[in-house]
Amino acid sequence: MHILTVNLGDRSYPIYLGEGLLSRTGELLKKAGSGKKVGIVSNQTVADLYLDPVQESLTRSGFRVIPIFVPEGEEHKNLKSLSDIFDRLIGERFDRSSSLIALGGGVIGDLAGFAAATFLRGIPYIQIPTTLLAQVDASVGGKTGVNHQEGKNLIGAFYQPRLVLIDLEVLRTLPRTEFVAGLAEVIKYGIIEDPQLFALLEANLEDLLSLNRGLLEKAVAASCTIKARVVEKDEHEEDYRSVLNFGHTIGHALESLTGYDQFLHGEAVAIGMAQAATISRREGLCDDKSLERILHLIKGAGLPTDLPSGIRLEELANKMEVDKKSVGGKIKFVLCAGIGKTRFHWLSAEDIIARLASIQKKVESENR
Amino acid sequence: MHILTVNLGDRSYPIYLGEGLLSRTGELLKKAGSGKKVGIVSNQTVADLYLDPVQESLTRSGFRVIPIFVPEGEEHKNLKSLSDIFDRLIGERFDRSSSLIALGGGVIGDLAGFAAATFLRGIPYIQIPTTLLAQVDASVGGKTGVNHQEGKNLIGAFYQPRLVLIDLEVLRTLPRTEFVAGLAEVIKYGIIEDPQLFALLEANLEDLLSLNRGLLEKAVAASCTIKARVVEKDEHEEDYRSVLNFGHTIGHALESLTGYDQFLHGEAVAIGMAQAATISRREGLCDDKSLERILHLIKGAGLPTDLPSGIRLEELANKMEVDKKSVGGKIKFVLCAGIGKTRFHWLSAEDIIARLASIQKKVESENR
């Protein structure tokens, strides 16, 4: 078992990473300290696969476990589901010493984390991410929240978990498309911070896609380490944390515009990264070779790189403007300066769209 | 103009206190730093009285002002109103540099503060309390939140404002019952921390009730100073901040049980304080003389001290158990040890009810 630490003073916490950790939940939660009452927020699909070992382990350690199911899907990450969770917590007489466990992907993690952040003005919570995407991204760093019909995560809080428990075994039951989508975020860490991780992915993509145990552990641990270091530098995203947004300005807007049902988050981010890297090349920040490697790795993983042909760029721009990262009409757009380095440019949605339009024109003329 | 400071490291902020400050809002907000867009959360009654000077001042200082009205009353301090505020903020394209102003009493302050805490994971906000109660209590200390049908403030966050602007002139248009209810919290500060403030209130109650300018300023400044010092010691109510809860365990339960329409918050707290002081006397913590002074001051202010005769104590107990301060079934009950000193006792709701029942029996036998 790996133990990484997110160092945030009195809000520091461990990330446990290894195989078969679900059945050690009780022991690890006991170590972190919690009252006897523990709610497990999950959905039916995830619960069918992973609830039993978690619940048994907690019961064995003397906890009283209350499973709390929420409906599946990004469209239920909203104030309604949050309100339903509150009803349950109040019905079960949760107090400030009670804990919540988020058992699931990013939707569950964000929702349960926000419920923990705001119930009684904050109770402890634990992240047990069951998708690759949640393991390398949402579960670490304390971003919690729900969606508004106008955009993702517009309502939320920064609120750190007491511990993160990453069981790599769960990836063996994860649908392949979901695994691949998660790889997009792993690739992102390589692009923004870690040429070595990027090279590791390039050299071992096939083995990684076949869930090679050692490689998985390396890739996830490297990703979580980068995420932890970035969060330590800038917990509340006042400055540097925005680097994690590479590929997300376009990715989020695309997800929002397509109603969250055409692309998995990782797929939209893959397109966003490919477009951002291409823009970076055109701005003279990124060399040809790096751009080629980035596009090659994304495609090699089975991820998309092009905006869908039907997309209307002005509508995409509208979605960018309600993104919570925009300030005074400008968006802090993350560009890459080769592999492992980034640069922030403040651009309006129109600036970004003009660049995307020019890329699309080039693609179209090449395809003719 | 008085300037008090709440010292909380990088979340420190000033409390400006004086007469005619509403028309200096723009200048003071500029000093605190904010983007151009400012939402003023208020209700119709408050807005009719005070919106104009605030809005004019902000406009003069170059801000773009967006008034956001919410319906009046504690029953609208809920997730629905919160969601309505989010809709407006998104419609008006608020970003992370935009600010919210809470212009109103405690309901507006808690609701607008919680909206600011959770919109885009946190934007700046300013408290402009327009009731005595909000000036001496809710506006200082960063407690924000909304109610759940099962209890008050069960959903919320600790989130500090950028500044608090207390204009004493607004008290001249405040209904007398509201002013008197606010005095309950001022009396509380005397009981829990400040024998001098308590003596000042005793000696000058009539003048204070006639809104004597110098006395008002002294009483409000002393109250805010105590609140600030307590919050500095224990921002997240892990320990000492609970002292502010004196009279509130019973008060909150009473409000909840009577559907928030029979008592103003301050009135319920007045009853809670009188009962808690009487319990303190019976536990041998508070001497006869202090108890007498406490009851005399509360009554002298025109506030109630007795539980309404129809109340069912078991139902009151149920309401206490869902209070967010209960841990493992026990409630951290604040007792007074004379005037200016407190003691915490961990009691079950049943313990508290048994003591109340015995007090009621004594009152009844005396009335016979």
Side-chain angles (χ1 to χ4, degrees):
Chain A
M1 179 169 79
H2 272 274
I3 305 180
L4 311 169
T5 305
V6 186
N7 297 295
L8 290 166
D10 57 0
R11 283 165 292 110
S12 297
Y13 55 94
I15 304 169
Y16 299 102
L17 198 158
E19 302 241 337
L21 296 189
L22 292 187
S23 54
R24 293 181 61 186
T25 307
E27 155 204 348
L28 296 170
L29 179 56
K30 216 166 186 178
K31 211 164 137 186
S34 164
K36 287 280 164 241
K37 231 175 255 181
V38 179
I40 304 181
V41 179
S42 197
N43 63 38
Q44 195 60 58
T45 307
V46 173
D48 286 347
L49 289 164
Y50 314 121
L51 182 60
D52 283 351
V54 175
Q55 183 156 7
E56 278 162 26
S57 160
L58 287 163
T59 308
R60 222 166 35 238
S61 293
F63 291 103
R64 218 196 105 207
V65 182
I66 295 112
I68 300 171
F69 287 5
V70 293
E72 231 169 304
E74 185 81 43
E75 70 272 27
H76 296 291
K77 199 178 99 175
N78 56 24
L79 287 175
K80 166 72 175 65
S81 299
L82 187 73
S83 180
D84 290 344
I85 294 177
F86 291 142
D87 289 347
R88 282 297 303 281
L89 300 182
I90 289 166
E92 298 283 351
R93 308 228 151 176
F94 268 53
D95 63 38
R96 282 181 174 171
S97 74
S98 313
S99 301
L100 275 188
I101 291 179
L103 178 68
V107 168
I108 294 284
D110 287 2
L111 179 62
F114 191 44
T118 52
F119 186 66
L120 309 182
R121 297 201 187 94
I123 62 171
Y125 78 109
I126 292 106
Q127 293 279 15
I128 307 187
T130 59
T131 65
L132 177 60
L133 185 80
Q135 290 184 342
V136 298
D137 186 16
S139 69
V140 176
K143 278 198 181 176
T144 70
V146 296
N147 300 329
H148 184 279
Q149 59 197 26
E150 296 291 333
K152 277 184 81 169
N153 301 319
L154 292 180
I155 304 156
F158 289 99
Y159 191 67
Q160 301 294 340
R162 290 292 171 92
L163 69 91
V164 181
L165 192 155
I166 298 178
D167 188 340
L168 295 171
E169 253 176 42
V170 305
L171 301 179
R172 306 198 178 276
T173 37
L174 189 69
R176 185 176 166 102
T177 49
E178 294 242 11
F179 180 81
V180 168
L183 275 186
E185 296 282 352
V186 179
I187 293 171
K188 182 192 77 177
Y189 290 114
I191 299 173
I192 63 172
E193 284 268 342
D194 194 342
Q196 267 187 303
L197 171 61
F198 194 91
L200 179 88
L201 297 173
E202 277 179 319
N204 301 281
L205 193 54
E206 279 317 305
D207 284 348
L208 194 58
L209 288 167
S210 342
L211 308 183
N212 174 292
R213 179 182 293 206
L215 274 170
L216 267 184
E217 194 162 327
K218 264 190 205 165
V220 174
S223 298
C224 289
T225 302
I226 294 168
K227 177 86 187 254
R229 294 302 91 83
V230 171
V231 169
E232 288 165 4
K233 263 192 216 171
D234 176 23
E235 184 180 1
H236 295 129
E237 194 163 354
E238 286 158 7
D239 180 15
Y240 188 67
R241 186 167 175 162
S242 315
V243 72
L244 298 173
N245 227 29
F246 180 71
H248 284 62
T249 304
I250 295 168
H252 277 157
L254 185 58
E255 278 184 281
S256 173
L257 188 57
T258 54
Y260 299 103
D261 57 5
Q262 195 172 336
F263 296 101
L264 292 174
H265 175 66
E267 292 167 345
V269 166
I271 293 171
M273 292 196 296
Q275 299 297 316
T278 308
I279 292 173
S280 306
R281 171 68 199 90
R282 295 187 154 217
E283 304 275 306
L285 287 171
C286 178
D287 58 291
D288 280 332
K289 179 69 194 158
S290 297
L291 175 59
E292 199 186 297
R293 285 176 67 196
I294 290 170
L295 297 177
H296 189 256
L297 183 58
I298 296 174
K299 284 179 190 161
L303 287 161
T305 54
D306 294 332
L307 285 170
S309 54
I311 221 82
R312 295 191 49 181
L313 291 180
E314 319 81 71
E315 289 177 4
L316 201 64
N318 277 332
K319 294 297 179 181
M320 281 180 202
E321 278 173 10
V322 297
D323 188 283
K324 66 197 162 311
K325 277 99 187 177
S326 70
V327 170
K330 294 273 187 174
I331 294 161
K332 196 171 174 185
F333 195 78
V334 189
L335 297 164
C336 62
I339 287 160
K341 270 179 266 158
T342 53
R343 203 76 79 69
F344 295 128
H345 280 191
W346 286 94
L347 302 174
S348 69
E350 289 66 34
D351 294 336
I352 298 168
I353 290 308
R355 285 159 177 78
L356 288 176
S358 134
I359 293 170
Q360 281 202 318
K361 223 175 245 168
K362 180 149 179 287
V363 172
E364 277 163 22
S365 78
E366 284 170 356
N367 289 348
R368 236 169 247 150
Chain B
M1 180 170 77
H2 272 274
I3 306 181
L4 311 169
T5 305
V6 186
N7 297 297
L8 290 166
D10 56 0
R11 283 163 291 113
S12 298
Y13 55 94
I15 303 170
Y16 298 104
L17 196 157
E19 300 241 341
L21 296 189
L22 292 186
S23 54
R24 295 179 61 186
T25 307
E27 157 204 344
L28 295 170
L29 179 56
K30 216 167 185 174
K31 212 165 137 186
S34 165
K36 288 281 163 242
K37 231 175 256 180
V38 179
I40 304 182
V41 179
S42 197
N43 64 38
Q44 195 61 57
T45 307
V46 172
D48 286 348
L49 289 163
Y50 314 120
L51 182 60
D52 282 353
V54 174
Q55 183 157 9
E56 276 161 30
S57 161
L58 287 163
T59 308
R60 223 164 37 237
S61 292
F63 291 104
R64 220 198 103 204
V65 182
I66 295 113
I68 300 171
F69 287 6
V70 293
E72 234 170 302
E74 184 81 45
E75 70 272 25
H76 296 290
K77 198 178 101 176
N78 55 24
L79 287 174
K80 166 73 174 64
S81 299
L82 186 74
S83 179
D84 290 345
I85 294 177
F86 291 141
D87 289 347
R88 282 298 302 282
L89 300 182
I90 290 166
E92 297 284 351
R93 309 229 150 175
F94 269 53
D95 63 39
R96 283 182 172 168
S97 75
S98 311
S99 301
L100 274 188
I101 291 179
L103 178 68
V107 168
I108 294 284
D110 287 2
L111 179 62
F114 191 45
T118 52
F119 186 66
L120 310 183
R121 298 201 186 92
I123 64 172
Y125 78 108
I126 294 105
Q127 292 280 14
I128 306 186
T130 59
T131 65
L132 177 59
L133 185 81
Q135 290 184 343
V136 298
D137 186 15
S139 69
V140 176
K143 276 197 182 180
T144 71
V146 295
N147 301 329
H148 185 276
Q149 59 197 26
E150 296 291 332
K152 275 184 81 168
N153 300 320
L154 292 180
I155 302 156
F158 290 99
Y159 191 68
Q160 301 294 340
R162 288 293 171 93
L163 68 91
V164 180
L165 193 155
I166 298 179
D167 188 339
L168 295 170
E169 252 174 43
V170 304
L171 301 179
R172 307 197 177 278
T173 37
L174 189 68
R176 184 177 166 101
T177 50
E178 294 242 11
F179 180 80
V180 167
L183 275 187
E185 296 281 353
V186 179
I187 294 171
K188 182 190 78 177
Y189 290 114
I191 299 174
I192 63 171
E193 284 266 344
D194 194 342
Q196 269 188 302
L197 171 61
F198 194 91
L200 180 88
L201 299 173
E202 276 178 320
N204 302 282
L205 194 54
E206 278 318 304
D207 285 348
L208 194 58
L209 288 167
S210 342
L211 307 184
N212 174 292
R213 180 181 293 206
L215 273 171
L216 266 184
E217 194 161 326
K218 265 189 205 163
V220 175
S223 298
C224 289
T225 303
I226 294 169
K227 177 85 188 253
R229 294 301 91 84
V230 171
V231 169
E232 288 165 3
K233 263 192 217 171
D234 176 24
E235 184 180 3
H236 295 129
E237 196 163 350
E238 284 157 8
D239 181 16
Y240 189 68
R241 185 166 177 163
S242 315
V243 72
L244 298 172
N245 228 28
F246 180 71
H248 283 62
T249 304
I250 295 167
H252 276 157
L254 185 58
E255 279 184 282
S256 174
L257 189 56
T258 54
Y260 299 103
D261 57 6
Q262 195 174 334
F263 297 101
L264 292 174
H265 176 66
E267 293 167 345
V269 166
I271 294 172
M273 291 196 298
Q275 300 297 315
T278 308
I279 293 174
S280 305
R281 171 68 199 87
R282 298 189 151 214
E283 306 274 306
L285 286 171
C286 179
D287 58 292
D288 279 333
K289 179 71 192 154
S290 297
L291 174 60
E292 198 186 298
R293 287 176 67 197
I294 290 170
L295 296 177
H296 188 256
L297 184 58
I298 296 175
K299 284 179 190 161
L303 287 162
T305 54
D306 295 331
L307 285 169
S309 53
I311 221 82
R312 295 192 49 182
L313 293 180
E314 319 80 71
E315 288 176 7
L316 202 65
N318 277 332
K319 293 298 181 181
M320 282 179 202
E321 278 173 10
V322 297
D323 188 281
K324 65 195 163 312
K325 277 100 186 177
S326 71
V327 171
K330 295 273 186 174
I331 293 161
K332 196 171 174 183
F333 195 78
V334 190
L335 297 164
C336 61
I339 287 160
K341 269 178 268 158
T342 52
R343 203 76 77 71
F344 295 128
H345 280 194
W346 285 95
L347 301 174
S348 68
E350 287 68 33
D351 294 336
I352 298 168
I353 290 310
R355 285 158 177 79
L356 288 175
S358 132
I359 294 170
Q360 280 202 319
K361 223 174 248 169
K362 180 147 181 287
V363 172
E364 277 163 23
S365 76
E366 283 170 359
N367 288 349
R368 236 167 249 152

